């Protein structure tokens, strides 16, 4: 197993592999509470017993088949209201890795950062931050990417193997993700947000289309217009422009 990843500049230079754990996000947060930890420290595992998803969901993954990892970033240059940009770049980095490996398939991001291949979810990202003196002090970026798994309970899930009919070297993919993430991270350090948004729009699922959504228990139809300056989803609902936080809207069909 790797002690560090050679290709990235600062991510994954110190690495811990755990054969099994509850959740790599939890492990990393526990670690940084106890130790002074350098940016880029990464924990990955072959099996999570309590994998965490967004909105309190669980993340299921067959042991030894997929990628489950979390790394630490220290984005002190971001204001809390700019945090959403981390969601965008973590998703864009995933799209880059997927496009390099899976040809001729539709690869998209469901807002904010779920990666989809041909309308089935292939990767999920959970970023957990801690804020101090109104700045993002640290952020744990947790990624679950379905790599070599053949079957899923949910028909709406897929893997790289299913989509491209080959088996992948998981650590090679992990390293490639870190390199891509770093590229975007350095761009946002230089405050280059507008280009990020333009790039995001090119792969944003359902943008400019009419779909059904649910908010506060009510279903409605609308057209996704884009993302506002604090990362909210902008939806045109029958001529009325409405904005939603991640927790406020569910995508139906
Ligand atoms: C989602 O709901 O789409 C986000 C899923 C995030 C799963 C990853 S797996 C590695 C890391 N550790 C966790 O407990 N969750 C994230």
């Amino acid at each position: 197993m790797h002690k560090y990843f050679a290709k990235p500049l600062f991510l994954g230079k110190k690495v811990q592999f755990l054969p099994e754990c509850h959740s790599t996000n939890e492990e990393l947060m526990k670690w940084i509470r106890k130790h002074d930890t350098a940016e880029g420290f990464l924990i990955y595992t072959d099996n999570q017993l309590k994998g965490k998803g967004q909105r309190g969901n669980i993340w299921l993954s067959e042991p030894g088949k997929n990628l489950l990892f979390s790394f630490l970033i220290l984005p002190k240059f971001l204001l809390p209201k700019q945090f959403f940009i981390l969601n965008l770049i973590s998703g864009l980095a995933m799209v880059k890795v997927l496009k390099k490996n899976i040809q001729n398939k539709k690869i998209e991001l469901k807002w904010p950062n779920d990666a989809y291949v041909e309308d089935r979810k292939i990767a999920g990202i959970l970023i957990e931050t801690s804020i101090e003196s109104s700045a993002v002090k640290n952020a744990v970026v947790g990624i679950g990417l379905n790599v070599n798994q053949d079957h899923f309970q949910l028909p709406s899930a897929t893997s790289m193997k299913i989509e491209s009919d080959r088996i992948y070297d998981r650590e090679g993919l992990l390293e490639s993700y870190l390199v891509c993430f770093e590229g975007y991270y350095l761009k946002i350090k230089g405050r280059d947000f507008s280009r990020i948004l333009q790039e995001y729009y090119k792969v944003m699922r359902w943008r400019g289309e009419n779909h059904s959504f649910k908010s506060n228990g009510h279903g409605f139809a609308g057209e996704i217009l884009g993302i506002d300056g604090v990362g909210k989803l902008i939806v045109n609902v029958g001529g009325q422009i409405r904005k939603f936080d991640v927790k406020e809207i569910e995508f139906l069909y």
Side-chain angles (χ1 to χ4, degrees), residues 35-79:
H35 305 87
D36 193 12
T37 313
E39 185 165 45
F41 178 53
L42 180 141
I43 296 182
Y44 69 122
T45 189
D46 258 351
N47 190 25
Q48 285 188 144
L49 303 171
K50 285 189 183 165
K52 292 183 353 180
Q54 285 167 22
R55 302 183 183 90
N57 290 327
I58 50 168
W59 183 258
L60 293 173
S61 172
E62 197 181 314
K65 293 279 171 111
N66 300 317
L67 270 176
L68 303 161
F69 62 98
S70 304
F71 58 88
L72 173 69
I73 51 170
L74 307 171
K76 294 200 174 89
F77 56 93
L78 286 182
L79 299 170

Side-chain angles (χ1 to χ4, degrees), residues 218-249:
H218 300 288
F220 59 90
E223 178 195 345
I224 295 182
L225 298 179
I227 300 167
D228 77 359
V230 291
K232 288 192 177 192
L233 188 72
I234 313 169
V235 187
N236 178 350
V237 185
Q240 193 196 351
I241 304 301
R242 294 179 59 188
K243 294 180 175 184
F244 299 91
D245 249 329
V246 183
K247 288 182 191 129
E248 292 169 347
I249 188 166

